[in-house]
Amino acid sequence: MIQVRELTKLYGKKQVVENVSVDIQRGQITSFIGPNGAGKSTLLSMVSRLLDADTGEVLIDSTNTKKLKSNEFSKRVSILKQSNYMNVRLTIRELVSFGRFPYSKGRLNDEDEKMVDQSIDYMDLKEMENSYLDELSGGQRQRAFIAMVIAQDTDYILLDEPLNNLDMKHSVQIMKILRRLVDELGKTVVIVLHDINFASVYSDRIVALKNGRVVKDGTTEEIIQSAALKEIYDMDIPIQQMNNCRICVYFNS
Amino acid sequence: MKKRYLIPTLIILSIVSLFVGVSSISVSDLLDFQSEETEIFLISRLPRLVAILLAGAGMSMAGLIMQQLSRNKFVSPTTAGTLDATRLGILVSMLLFANASMLEKMTVAFAFALAGTFLFMQILNRIKFKDAIFIPLVGLMFGNILSSITTFFAYRADVIQNMSAWLQGDFSMIMKGSYELLYISVPVFIIAYLYANRFTVAGMGEDFSKNLGMKYRSVVNIGLVLVALITATVVLTVGIIPFLGLIIPNIVSIFKGDHLQKTLPHTAMLGAIFLLVCDILGRVLIYPYEISISLMVGVIGSFIFLFLLFRRKAYA
Ligand SMILES: Nc1ncnc2c1ncn2[C@@H]1O[C@H](COP(=O)(O)OP(=O)(O)OP(=O)(O)O)[C@@H](O)[C@H]1O
Ligand SMILES: [Mg+2]
C-alpha cells in the first residue's frame, strides 16, 4: 500500500498540492482525475520521488520512501511522466532493455532478456523493435515507454496520462494490459486519466483532485455519479449504463 | 560503420602513418636495431602514431560524452568552451609556476577544463530556450570570452609570442618524452566504457534517470571529469584539435544510434581513423613540408559540420 500523508507542494507562494492524504491499495487500479492544473502530475512526481515535497510524507508498504535507496526504490516504484521528450537515438528494444537497468545496470542476463521480450510482446511492438524512437509516431513511442516501465517490473506502476497520443484501439489495449498486470501479476497501478470513461470502465478506485486538494476519493461506483462529477468538473454529466459499463455522456454537457 | 571494417582500416592507416615521412624508413631498416632509421622510428614515428590514435579516440569520446550529458548533438569540447578553458588553465599554470612541470600544468589545465565545462552546463540549465543551434552558439561565445581573457593575460605577462598559433594541434613536434602524458587517457577510456550505460541513461534526462534508480548528478559529474581529463591531456601534449569531438560522434550516431555501450568503441576508432587520415594527408600534400593537423581537421571538419547542420532535420 502507498500511503500519502499530508503532502504539500508550493511553487512560490502558490500551493499546487495542498495537504493531500490518500491511500492507494495494493492490487488495484487507482485513477487520478481532475481538471488541468489540479496538481495530479505534481502529486505523482512527489510520490515517485522525482520531486521533493515541502511537507508531508509518503509511505510505501509502511516504509517512508525517503528511507529507501534509489536503486531499491526503482525496483518497487516506476513512473512514466506525462511528456517524455528526448532526442536520444535508441531502438525500441534498447529503450525497453533500460527498464532492466535497476537490476542489471545494463548488462542483461537471460531473465532480463525474457522480461524485455515479454514487455515488447505485451505492447505489440515486436515487428518494430529495431526501429529508432525518433522514427516512430507519437503513439508508437508512447507504447515503447510503457513497455519499458513494464520491463522494470515494479510492484507499483505510476502512469501520468499514458493514453496521450494513442488511438482508440491502442488506448483500450493498454487499459486491458494494465488490468491484466493487476489481476494476473498482482501489480498496483496508479494512473492519471482525462477520459473519465476509461477511469469508469477500468479502475477500482478513483481519486479526484481539484485546485491541489482531494475533492473525492472512493470506489468507481461512488465517484462515477452525476452529483460527484458536478463537484469535480462543474459540469452536468448524465450517466448511462451500457453492457455493465457506466458511461459518462459529457460531450454535449 | 561496422567494426569489421573499422579495425582493418585503422591498422592499415597506422602502418601507412609509420612509413610516411621526410626520411624514408623501410621494414628492413628496422630489422637492424642499431640503424638511424630504427632510432627515428622509435623516437618520432611511433610516438606520433600513438599520440594520433589516443588523441583522436579521446577527443571523439569526450565529445560523445558531452553530447549525451548535455542532451544536445552540437555540444563538444570545441563548442562548449572546454578547449578554451584548458588553454586558459595552461596559461595560468605558466604564470603561477615559473617553470611549470608537466604535472603542474596538467593539474591546473584539468581544473580549468573541468570548471569551464561545469560552468557551461550550469548556463545550459538556466537557458529556457533550448534550441539545438542556439546552445552551441552560447558555448562558442563563452569560449571566446575565455579566449579573450587568455589573450589579455598572455600579452600583459608577455609570455606568449603568437596567441593565435599558441597550442594549435601539431603532431610534428611529438617525440619520445613529450607525449607520454597522453597515456592517462587509457584508463579514462576504460572508465568511460564502464560508465557507458549510465551515460546513456543520463542522456534520457534527470527524471528518467531517477526512475531507473540512477544517481543522475554524480553520473554527470563523473562524465565531466572524464571529459576534462581527456581534453587537458590532449591539449597539453598535442594542442587543440577542433571539431573532432563534434563531427565523429554525430556521424556514428546517424548509423549506430546513441546506445553508448555499443557506439563508444566505434566513436573512438572512427576518431582515430579520421585524425590519421588528416595527419597523413597533411604530411603528403605539400611534401616535404607539413600542413598542421589543426588546419587539416579544421578545414575538413568544418565542411562535415556544415553538412551535418544542413541534414539536421533529417535525423536530430
Ligand atoms: N515547475 C513549476 N513551477 C511553477 N508552477 C508549476 C510548476 N509545475 C507545475 N506548476 C503549477 O502547478 C499546478 C499543478 O500542475 P500539475 O502539472 O500538477 O497539474 P495537472 O493536474 O497534472 O494538470 P494537467 O491535467 O494539465 O496535466 C499548475 O497550476 C501549474 O501551473
Ligand atoms: Mg499533468
Side-chain angles (χ1 to χ4, degrees):
Chain A
M1 186 163 80
I2 297 180
Q3 294 160 287
V4 178
R5 291 279 166 269
E6 293 168 3
L7 272 194
T8 297
K9 181 74 197 176
L10 296 153
Y11 281 119
K13 286 208 172 108
K14 193 169 147 224
Q15 301 212 3
V16 294
V17 170
E18 209 178 325
N19 207 16
V20 166
S21 298
V22 190
D23 285 348
I24 294 160
Q25 304 295 337
R26 275 192 87 113
Q28 293 194 340
I29 295 184
T30 303
S31 293
F32 279 74
I33 61 170
N36 290 131
K40 305 178 296 291
S41 297
T42 310
L43 181 61
L44 233 58
S45 291
M46 287 191 290
V47 171
S48 57
R49 302 209 311 193
L50 297 184
L51 200 64
D52 288 326
D54 286 308
T55 57
E57 58 184 21
V58 180
L59 308 179
I60 155 171
D61 303 329
S62 325
T63 318
N64 191 325
T65 52
K66 285 218 176 88
K67 295 223 172 73
L68 290 167
K69 289 222 172 73
S70 44
N71 197 51
E72 252 346 280
F73 189 78
S74 68
K75 291 180 191 169
R76 293 169 75 172
V77 180
S78 56
I79 178 157
L80 182 64
K81 296 230 313 175
Q82 190 166 356
S83 60
N84 293 287
Y85 163 77
M86 61 173 72
N87 61 350
V88 174
R89 255 172 84 79
L90 292 178
T91 65
I92 291 183
R93 193 175 178 87
E94 288 169 346
L95 178 82
V96 177
S97 301
F98 275 111
R100 301 304 295 168
F101 187 84
Y103 305 87
S104 60
K105 296 285 175 286
R107 285 165 219 287
L108 277 65
N109 60 26
D110 290 348
E111 195 194 329
D112 294 324
E113 295 285 358
K114 224 175 81 193
M115 275 304 296
V116 171
D117 275 327
Q118 222 171 49
S119 314
I120 289 175
D121 281 340
Y122 254 35
M123 279 297 140
D124 208 3
L125 291 166
K126 189 71 196 168
E127 74 266 30
M128 48 177 127
E129 65 172 359
N130 292 320
S131 310
Y132 283 104
L133 290 176
D134 55 356
E135 291 159 6
L136 299 178
S137 77
Q140 291 164 342
R141 207 172 306 144
Q142 183 74 350
R143 275 152 60 206
F145 285 123
I146 296 173
M148 190 201 93
V149 168
I150 293 178
Q152 203 176 333
D153 193 26
T154 52
D155 288 343
Y156 297 93
I157 300 172
L158 278 46
L159 303 161
D160 195 350
E161 299 188 32
L163 306 185
N164 263 353
N165 291 323
L166 293 185
D167 59 33
M168 282 177 293
K169 175 170 169 239
H170 285 109
S171 299
V172 169
Q173 179 197 16
I174 281 172
M175 293 310 293
K176 284 190 171 150
I177 287 166
L178 295 178
R179 204 59 257 179
R180 265 173 63 199
L181 289 175
V182 168
D183 296 338
E184 293 169 15
L185 301 177
K187 306 272 179 204
T188 305
V189 171
V190 180
I191 182 169
V192 175
L193 287 172
H194 274 301
D195 189 331
I196 45 176
N197 286 326
F198 276 114
S200 165
V201 174
Y202 289 97
S203 43
D204 301 300
R205 286 186 79 83
I206 295 179
V207 179
L209 289 184
K210 189 176 175 181
N211 297 326
R213 294 162 180 270
V214 175
V215 286
K216 283 276 175 248
D217 177 1
T219 61
T220 304
E221 291 73 47
E222 286 163 2
I223 310 296
I224 303 297
Q225 302 280 353
S226 292
L229 292 176
K230 169 99 186 163
E231 209 175 312
I232 301 164
Y233 291 106
D234 298 318
M235 286 166 83
D236 291 305
I237 303 177
I239 298 190
Q240 304 216 333
Q241 188 85 23
M242 297 167 95
N243 307 333
N244 282 332
C245 299
R246 297 157 68 79
I247 302 299
C248 310
V249 189
Y250 56 80
F251 303 100
N252 53 0
S253 303
Chain B
M1 196 61 57
K2 295 214 169 80
K3 272 192 202 153
R4 178 159 93 246
Y5 303 127
L6 288 177
I7 294 173
T9 312
L10 193 57
I11 293 172
I12 292 168
L13 285 170
S14 298
I15 295 170
V16 171
S17 162
L18 285 176
F19 293 97
V20 168
V22 178
S23 52
S24 61
I25 298 176
S26 69
V27 180
S28 57
D29 292 331
L30 294 179
L31 295 175
D32 175 4
F33 292 113
Q34 305 299 317
S35 71
E36 193 184 330
E37 283 79 9
T38 312
E39 207 151 284
I40 294 177
F41 188 83
L42 290 179
I43 291 180
S44 154
R45 295 284 167 79
L46 203 59
R48 182 175 189 142
L49 173 64
V50 173
I52 293 169
L53 295 179
L54 290 178
M59 289 316 285
S60 313
M61 287 168 76
L64 177 58
I65 294 171
M66 284 179 87
Q67 280 146 37
Q68 200 70 18
L69 297 181
S70 65
R71 308 179 72 188
N72 186 304
K73 288 265 187 275
F74 294 110
V75 169
S76 71
T78 316
T79 51
T82 310
L83 287 171
D84 303 284
T86 313
R87 220 156 66 119
L88 178 57
I90 296 173
L91 178 76
V92 167
S93 72
M94 288 164 67
L95 296 178
L96 281 182
F97 312 101
N99 275 316
S101 72
M102 214 48 171
L103 189 69
E104 285 164 340
K105 280 187 190 169
M106 175 63 203
T107 312
V108 182
F110 165 69
F112 271 73
L114 186 61
T117 317
F118 199 77
L119 202 60
F120 174 76
M121 294 296 273
Q122 291 298 316
I123 296 172
L124 201 63
N125 284 340
R126 302 261 147 82
I127 295 174
K128 294 256 147 54
F129 178 59
K130 287 205 186 347
D131 182 75
I133 303 294
F134 182 69
I135 301 281
L137 284 180
V138 171
L140 284 171
M141 285 193 301
F142 174 62
N144 278 331
I145 295 171
L146 293 175
S147 205
S148 323
I149 299 175
T150 312
T151 309
F152 176 75
F153 282 110
Y155 277 127
R156 281 286 295 270
D158 204 15
V159 284
I160 289 146
Q161 312 305 323
N162 182 352
M163 263 318 287
S164 60
W166 187 52
L167 288 179
Q168 287 305 318
D170 185 358
F171 285 108
S172 62
M173 306 302 276
I174 292 288
M175 270 195 244
K176 192 159 178 281
S178 74
Y179 79 105
E180 282 78 0
L181 187 71
L182 269 177
Y183 284 118
I184 290 184
S185 47
V186 174
V188 174
F189 293 175
I190 295 169
I191 299 173
Y193 187 71
L194 293 177
Y195 268 80
N197 279 317
R198 288 179 178 80
F199 293 147
T200 310
V201 172
M204 293 191 264
E206 181 163 4
D207 286 342
F208 220 91
S209 308
K210 279 192 185 167
N211 171 49
L212 294 176
M214 194 183 85
K215 295 204 173 66
Y216 177 78
R217 287 278 152 224
S218 38
V219 169
V220 170
N221 289 339
I222 288 168
L224 296 185
V225 167
L226 298 182
V227 166
L229 269 175
I230 294 176
T231 310
T233 50
V234 171
V235 174
L236 262 177
T237 45
V238 298
I240 288 176
I241 306 170
F243 286 113
L244 204 57
L246 188 65
I247 52 178
I248 303 296
N250 272 290
I251 295 171
V252 175
S253 169
I254 293 172
F255 293 100
K256 307 239 29 148
D258 293 333
H259 197 300
L260 259 58
Q261 204 188 5
K262 296 178 187 167
T263 60
L264 257 180
H266 294 78
T267 307
M269 277 191 275
L270 191 66
I273 289 174
F274 182 77
L275 207 53
L276 266 175
V277 171
C278 287
D279 184 65
I280 293 171
L281 281 179
R283 277 195 269 173
V284 297
L285 279 182
I286 53 167
Y287 184 86
Y289 304 102
E290 245 189 82
I291 303 172
S292 84
I293 193 75
S294 58
L295 189 64
M296 284 303 295
V297 177
V299 170
I300 302 178
S302 48
F303 275 111
I304 301 181
F305 180 48
L306 280 177
F307 175 74
L308 289 173
L309 275 184
F310 284 123
R311 66 155 288 164
R312 177 172 69 109
K313 288 238 155 48
Y315 81 103

